[in-house]
Amino acid sequence: MNIQRFTAPTSREAMAKARLTFGESAVILSTRSTGDGFEVMAAAEESLASLADQAPAPSRAAPTTPPAARARTATAALPESVESDTEALAMSTLSFQDYVRERMLRKRRESLHGTAPAAAHEEPAAERRAPLQTAAPQIIARPEPVAVPVQRFNQPEPIVARNPAPIRTRSAEPAWEDSVPPTRFPSNGDSRMAVELSALKDMIEERFNTLAWLGSSKQNPIQSNLMLKMIRAGYSPAMSRAVLERVPTDAGAAEAVRWLMDVITRNLKVAAPGAGLCDEGGVVSLIGATGVGKTTTAAKLAAQCVKQYGAASVGMITLDTYRVSGFEQLRAFGRMLGVVAHLAHDRAALKDLLNLLSNKRLVIIDTAGLGQRDQRIQDMLDVLDIPKVKKTLVLNAGAQGDTLDEVLTSFKASTLHGVVLSKVDEAVKLGPALDALIRHQVVLRGVANGQRVPEDWQNADAAALVRLSMGTQGKSAYDPLATDMGYFFAQASGRGIDLGASHV
């Protein structure tokens, strides 16, 4: 067996030396990198073919043996030197792939140039070498692109020429792979699409809710009439819907009206009888927006207390240093009642005056009017942040519902001792005021319904106020029609305004 070793700086040069020595039919047995360069072990194709001729032919008369036994017999029949050389010089997977790649490329070039006989001549040689190369114990895997049929040494089969399969090579895979996909940032097109989808969803909900209300109004005319009555009275659609969704289905018209008024009365918080501001006593500060009647309300409270407990039981303080003649107005009321009015410019002066008037049954603090969007509201609340001071908000009963909501939010409704509803005689509809009081869950401490001191002052009566709010006031340009009621129910009830701690 003629096996030679070729060394060159590169693998291509070493294989070129092997082909120069053994011709184009040279068989590469192994390749490896050494200190001198790249080493290639090669042999002639004829020497490998002679090994196949030396294998003993099986006898026809001999009993049939399994293929595994025949393979062991053929391996044992080879010379000991050939077996040792084959094991020592076995081809690695990488070198075998390089060899197959070069042979296939060369055959493809020959087929393109019209040298088909040469390709047909070399194909059987490759088929004869394949069993010896793949039978080596050190070859890890058979290359997939080269489909070589298994043959016995003494029974070669005819090879049918076919187009070579594409060569697959190993590519360097990354050592790690990120399991989290890269984040895709939304583009302007995605934002526009989201806005359009949201608008389409809202439109569909509006149409379906409108149709649902129209269908419900036809099936339950009592509920639809009560809804129209509440909307005309000034109650918000959210509260109206939340209440009327629980109307008993078997109730008649009169029973439904009584049930509705009872529910509103129960949810409107008012001071208990005998627990008004004058009866409680202490330090009461009146705060609120401009023009709601804080100074007049302070005079009414002082007059009520003077009437019951005498002039010595009342003290009056004003913090109104912004309004022209604000202090003069309170002092004029005090002279009529026999009460001295004091002026405090800051928090320290207020504390000194409170200590001076600590023996009084009721001390009333009048403050400057500030709009609900004024930045000085927090400064005024900080001045009044004294443990004994009861902050009481004065609300205009004739204001719009949205304005009342904003005032209650700006003056911290959750920290208020109570609310005084002023100018009830000027309000066309009490529904917005009662609706805001119910939703913000504040206590109504008193009602001022005129300018007279002290006659126009009443203790809060929930049932009377609800009856007054539900009374018919005649036609108005702002009253909806029965055919327009569907537009008040464009959104689902779950998206309405929070009713707080109210219950039905």
Side-chain angles (χ1 to χ4, degrees):
M1 181 175 181
N2 188 8
I3 299 176
Q4 295 186 15
R5 189 191 310 268
F6 302 94
T7 305
T10 62
S11 61
R12 189 175 299 277
E13 295 178 2
M15 291 183 182
K17 290 182 179 180
R19 285 195 295 269
L20 183 61
T21 304
F22 296 109
E24 294 296 332
S25 61
V27 179
I28 307 300
L29 299 179
S30 67
T31 60
R32 67 188 182 93
S33 297
T34 62
D36 299 334
F38 199 84
E39 182 181 276
V40 174
M41 300 292 294
E45 184 179 5
E46 292 77 8
S47 60
L48 295 180
S50 62
L51 294 178
D53 296 337
Q54 294 177 5
S59 176
R60 294 183 181 271
T64 305
T65 57
R70 291 199 299 269
R72 287 194 297 271
T73 304
T75 304
L78 294 175
E80 186 176 355
S81 60
V82 174
E83 183 177 357
S84 60
D85 291 342
T86 303
E87 294 178 356
L89 303 176
M91 214 183 262
S92 64
T93 304
L94 182 60
S95 61
F96 184 76
Q97 289 181 357
D98 294 338
Y99 164 72
V100 172
R101 188 185 302 108
E102 292 182 1
R103 293 298 296 266
M104 298 302 295
L105 291 176
R106 186 170 63 251
K107 291 178 181 179
R108 187 173 300 175
R109 287 195 298 268
E110 292 176 356
S111 61
L112 292 176
H113 288 80
T115 57
H121 175 72
E122 292 180 1
E123 184 69 21
E127 296 293 341
R128 288 195 300 270
R129 288 195 301 272
L132 180 60
Q133 294 165 359
T134 56
Q138 297 179 0
I139 293 179
I140 299 174
R142 183 189 301 273
E144 295 181 1
V146 181
V148 181
V150 180
Q151 302 181 17
R152 297 188 181 91
F153 289 107
N154 56 349
Q155 294 182 358
E157 296 180 0
I159 303 301
V160 179
R162 59 185 177 182
N163 296 330
I167 305 299
R168 295 198 313 178
T169 59
R170 292 183 298 179
S171 60
E173 297 180 356
W176 59 274
E177 184 178 358
D178 191 1
S179 58
V180 180
T183 304
R184 181 178 179 270
F185 295 96
S187 59
N188 294 332
D190 297 339
S191 301
R192 288 194 298 270
M193 181 67 70
V195 171
E196 292 177 0
L197 291 177
S198 178
L200 180 61
K201 179 182 177 182
D202 294 341
M203 184 185 68
I204 294 175
E205 289 183 355
E206 177 184 352
R207 293 292 180 260
F208 275 105
N209 290 328
T210 303
L211 293 175
W213 164 252
L214 294 177
S216 176
S217 62
K218 293 180 180 179
Q219 296 177 0
N220 194 349
I222 296 177
Q223 182 180 359
S224 61
N225 290 333
L226 289 178
M227 181 70 71
L228 181 60
K229 186 176 183 64
M230 290 190 69
I231 296 299
R232 285 178 175 176
Y235 290 91
S236 64
M239 181 177 174
S240 303
R241 180 168 44 204
V243 173
L244 294 179
E245 282 179 352
R246 296 168 175 81
V247 174
T249 57
D250 56 346
E255 295 177 355
V257 172
R258 286 194 297 268
W259 179 90
L260 173 62
M261 298 182 68
D262 290 341
V263 168
I264 299 176
T265 304
R266 287 199 309 269
N267 285 276
L268 181 62
K269 293 183 177 181
V270 296
L277 293 175
C278 184
D279 299 326
E280 287 181 349
V283 182
V284 178
S285 64
L286 300 177
I287 60 177
T290 56
V292 295
K294 296 185 295 299
T295 304
T296 305
T297 302
K300 292 178 181 179
L301 287 175
Q304 291 287 336
C305 192
V306 168
K307 184 178 179 180
Q308 296 183 20
Y309 303 101
S313 62
V314 181
M316 291 193 297
I317 303 173
T318 181
L319 296 175
D320 190 359
T321 59
Y322 303 102
R323 186 165 55 96
V324 177
S325 71
F327 174 58
E328 296 297 333
Q329 182 182 2
L330 186 65
R331 189 165 63 175
F333 281 122
R335 282 198 302 267
M336 288 188 297
L337 299 173
V339 178
V340 178
H342 303 272
L343 176 64
H345 294 277
D346 53 12
R347 181 184 175 90
L350 178 62
K351 287 184 176 180
D352 294 339
L353 289 175
L354 290 178
N355 292 330
L356 179 65
L357 302 175
S358 60
N359 59 341
K360 303 293 183 179
R361 176 179 179 82
L362 177 64
V363 178
I364 304 172
I365 302 175
D366 187 21
T367 60
L370 297 175
Q372 66 271 18
R373 301 177 184 177
D374 199 320
Q375 300 297 327
R376 296 172 294 177
I377 291 179
Q378 187 60 45
D379 297 336
M380 184 186 65
L381 295 178
D382 294 339
V383 172
L384 297 174
D385 191 12
I386 300 174
K388 296 181 181 180
V389 176
K390 303 175 183 177
K391 293 188 287 293
T392 304
L393 180 65
V394 181
L395 281 180
N396 182 4
Q400 189 185 17
D402 295 335
T403 304
L404 294 173
D405 280 336
E406 193 172 2
V407 170
L408 287 167
T409 303
S410 301
F411 285 92
K412 308 292 191 303
S414 59
T415 62
L416 296 176
H417 176 66
V419 171
V420 173
L421 203 60
S422 66
K423 300 186 178 182
V424 175
D425 58 323
E426 300 178 8
V428 178
K429 296 180 180 180
L430 283 179
L434 300 185
D435 186 277
L437 294 177
I438 292 174
R439 285 186 286 104
H440 289 272
Q441 291 295 298
V442 291
V443 180
L444 182 60
R445 298 288 178 179
V447 176
N449 56 356
Q451 296 292 324
R452 294 180 300 174
V453 178
E455 293 83 8
D456 294 335
W457 175 267
Q458 296 176 358
N459 292 326
D461 186 354
L465 291 173
V466 171
R467 286 196 301 270
L468 184 61
S469 68
M470 297 297 291
T472 57
Q473 301 292 336
K475 294 183 179 181
S476 172
Y478 296 95
D479 292 341
L481 300 176
T483 56
D484 300 333
M485 291 300 296
Y487 295 103
F488 286 89
F489 305 93
Q491 300 296 331
S493 58
R495 296 186 179 182
I497 301 176
D498 186 11
L499 298 179
S502 61
H503 58 278
V504 178

